[in-house]
Amino acid sequence: MNQFKTTNFLALVTALGLITSFTFSSSVNAQSTWPNKPIKMLLGYPPGGGSDIVARLIAKNLGDRLGQNVIVENHAGAGGIIAADMAAKSTPDGYTLFFVPSGHASIAALRRKNSTYDAVNDFTWISTVTTYPLAFTVAPDSPFKSFDEFLLAAKKEPGKYTYSSVGVGTAMHIMAEWTFSEAKVDVVHVPFKGGTQPFQELLAGRVDLMIDTMTLTANLLKDKRVRLLAVTSPKGMSPIPGAATVADSLPGVQFESWLGIAAPANLPTEITTRLNKEIIAVVNQPDVKQKLTDFGGKPQASSSVEFKTRVQRDIDNLSKVVDARGITAN
């Protein structure tokens, strides 16, 4: 009887060993042949916006290097939360990427207590792509010729003027609230889902001031479809020669936004390393680098560790602003 049990036990151990070996071998093989089908890149904003423009530029060139199409999927709404939640809950197999704007950090700062995902640890941080300031612009026919003029008018008539952002809790929203709090003025927030709607409402005269990324604003400025009042670069470091910064009027009020690529947590190291290598190569391509510069940004790839550190740092810093200004999701 004991011999029978021993024989069965050994058989079971052998079988489990074979299964484990097969599973490990299959996993390694899947990683070594990656990618063997198209890759989707989730984005939390609609087509046409600044993030979308850069996402499609990077996706096309990344796909060329990987030998598979990288398809941008727009899942707009809730300030990017919908796409972030989808990415966090996706299988970490390298076939779902997440194109992340810095608004991911501001949303995390705003919703620390009721998020459906961990804004840092539920993702594999692969690399940044570009950094850039936010821009405060008005319509070409606006009476405001400078940022100081706008602040003065807002101070004289509290609650009369409005500003747009691409959603509650986004970097634009928090940056604006910080700015107007420091200036001690009351400007009404009008949030949108993203895309070109804020620009359209600005031209229609239903919004007085637009706060958006330089990736969207750069071409509008080039075509003289908006007038730039200020950017959020550090004082004296505007990417546009002669352009004023918010810090010129309100010392210390500055913010550098970014765009990057992440994936679900626990992405195999081999795939993370390959993606990081290819993204760095894409960002350093002369044509891509020039386009990112034309979009008003600074091409800037990073290591996985550097990207994760940056995200955590921004969440910590923006959380202080949210708490100090009493900003809420409602």
Side-chain angles (χ1 to χ4, degrees), residues 194-325:
T196 59
Q197 192 176 6
F199 168 64
Q200 293 165 356
E201 294 297 293
L202 182 74
L203 291 190
R206 290 186 284 269
V207 174
D208 299 297
L209 182 73
M210 181 175 74
I211 303 174
D212 215 315
T213 64
M214 279 303 298
T215 52
L216 176 71
T217 308
N219 282 333
L220 298 179
L221 288 171
K222 182 179 179 181
D223 297 338
K224 298 182 178 180
R225 288 183 284 173
V226 296
R227 180 188 302 142
L228 180 66
L229 297 187
V231 294
T232 62
S233 305
K235 187 174 182 178
M237 296 180 62
S238 169
I240 300 177
T245 67
V246 172
D248 291 334
S249 303
L250 304 167
V253 181
Q254 60 192 56
F255 179 76
E256 185 179 58
S257 194
W258 44 263
L259 293 169
I261 297 176
N266 302 313
L267 186 69
T269 301
E270 180 182 335
I271 295 178
T272 302
T273 301
R274 172 81 186 282
L275 278 168
N276 180 264
K277 174 185 175 182
E278 300 299 354
I279 292 168
I280 290 173
V282 166
V283 171
N284 286 317
Q285 288 177 201
D287 58 331
V288 173
K289 184 177 289 189
Q290 185 59 55
K291 287 180 180 178
L292 290 174
T293 302
D294 291 342
F295 292 155
K298 179 173 69 174
Q300 186 173 319
S302 69
S303 71
S304 178
V305 172
E306 288 170 337
F307 192 11
K308 183 177 182 179
T309 300
R310 182 177 202 132
V311 174
Q312 184 65 69
R313 182 180 65 240
D314 279 3
I315 291 174
D316 293 342
N317 290 338
L318 292 170
S319 293
K320 295 175 184 177
V321 176
V322 168
D323 293 341
R325 308 305 172 190

Side-chain angles (χ1 to χ4, degrees), residues 34-187:
W34 178 91
N36 56 22
K37 63 180 181 179
I39 299 166
K40 61 182 177 182
M41 183 184 289
L42 306 179
L43 173 63
Y45 297 93
S51 299
D52 181 74
I53 293 170
V54 177
R56 294 179 187 279
L57 171 67
I58 299 301
K60 169 62 172 63
N61 287 276
L62 181 60
D64 289 346
R65 292 191 64 86
L66 293 174
Q68 289 288 345
N69 289 331
V70 178
I71 303 166
V72 176
E73 289 189 3
N74 301 84
H75 297 275
I81 292 176
I82 295 173
D85 186 68
M86 291 176 64
K89 295 174 180 176
S90 295
T91 303
D93 57 6
Y95 293 102
T96 299
L97 301 179
F98 178 33
F99 197 76
V100 199
S102 55
H104 178 84
S106 56
I107 285 290
L110 187 68
R111 298 178 179 269
R112 280 164 285 165
K113 298 179 181 179
N114 60 352
S115 179
T116 58
Y117 55 85
D118 186 304
V120 176
N121 296 318
D122 279 350
F123 301 90
T124 299
W125 301 96
I126 301 171
S127 175
T128 53
V129 169
T130 183
T131 60
Y132 51 88
L134 302 179
F136 289 64
T137 60
V138 293
D141 59 355
S142 169
F144 304 116
K145 301 296 191 295
S146 71
F147 191 56
D148 284 339
E149 284 184 14
F150 180 84
L151 293 179
L152 181 61
K155 186 166 292 189
K156 288 181 178 179
E157 298 183 88
K160 175 180 178 180
Y161 298 102
T162 57
Y163 76 91
S164 68
S165 80
V166 294
V168 174
T170 57
M172 297 80 163
H173 176 209
I174 294 179
M175 184 64 200
E177 290 298 313
W178 180 19
T179 298
F180 297 136
S181 292
E182 290 292 331
K184 296 180 174 56
V185 298
D186 178 17
V187 184

